[in-house]
Amino acid sequence: MKLTIPTDAPNYPTILHALQDVARRTPDRPALICEDRSLTFAQHRDAISGFARRLQKIGVEGERVAIVMTNCLEMPVCILGAMAARAYVAPMNPNYSDSELTPLLKDTTPKVIVTLPEFYARLSKVATAMGIPHVVVAGEVGEGSNTIASWISEGSEGLPQPLPNADDYAMMFFTGGTTGLPKGAEHRHRHIMAFCRLEAAFFSTLEYDKEVSLSVAPMFHIFGHHHAVIHPLY
């Protein structure tokens, strides 16, 4: 069977260009729903923009950002926000033991770890031991709040410009480790878009701007990420 990419399948340079486009065309359409919380596409864009601007203050362009969290509304915002700050994003399993997580962090050498409040105590110790300078806690309230609401309020100017290029590094996913320690596999922005267009060939009956996707796999894994964060947005 020969797969053919549909003629109406968009061909954006990066997934951030897709986000910018859909937020312009259907700003009030639901983008994400997680339990009793939700974001429209306009709110999703603004939250991503606000978080990206926080990361820019740290100076992450060309640096690696480790996202260590379970599925939640914050996770896709943080992943795409790090991309928008022109960082290189590495999602990781927060339920790994220290001995499992440390080799991944050594391979990644991130400037920032982004995590949730319940993982902060353990990851801050790991970061200190490894010399990782920043741990950002998503969902943290109070002074220096890192909530989605605070990111939306800071991101109303839109995504930081210029957006990344198609050939820039976007993400690092770790292999299963069946032949030793997991190894970081590099993905450029154009690789992510190639995946989306191939998915358009596989699922040629999907209608753009009309479908709802139920995502249950962990977003720190490439399958869960691509089918929860990337493809529904595309």
Side-chain angles (χ1 to χ4, degrees), residues 42-56:
Q43 290 171 328
H44 193 23
R45 176 202 57 207
D46 290 352
I48 288 165
S49 173
F51 183 64
R53 293 172 194 281
R54 295 263 183 119
L55 289 180
Q56 284 181 321

Side-chain angles (χ1 to χ4, degrees), residues 21-124:
D21 183 31
V22 71
R24 174 186 56 81
R25 290 186 296 103
T26 59
D28 299 325
R29 186 170 186 265
L32 295 169
I33 301 170
C34 182
E35 297 180 340
D36 61 347
R37 298 188 297 159
S38 63
L39 292 175
T40 65
F41 278 110
Q43 290 171 328
H44 193 23
R45 176 202 57 207
D46 290 352
I48 288 165
S49 173
F51 183 64
R53 293 172 194 281
R54 295 263 183 119
L55 289 180
Q56 284 181 321
K57 292 176 183 177
I58 296 174
V60 300
E61 182 173 350
E63 301 282 351
R64 293 171 179 178
V65 174
I67 309 286
V68 189
M69 56 177 69
T70 49
N71 287 8
C72 57
L73 202 63
E74 286 80 7
M75 190 168 185
V77 173
C78 291
I79 289 172
L80 293 166
M83 285 188 194
R86 303 179 73 93
Y88 185 13
V89 191
M92 299 180 189
N93 185 350
N95 295 312
Y96 273 166
S97 66
D98 289 358
S99 61
E100 291 171 313
L101 190 61
T102 298
L104 274 60
L105 290 169
K106 284 183 177 178
D107 192 10
T108 310
T109 59
K111 186 171 185 178
V112 184
I113 296 175
V114 184
T115 191
L116 297 172
E118 57 264 38
F119 304 114
Y120 173 73
R122 181 168 70 95
L123 286 174
S124 63

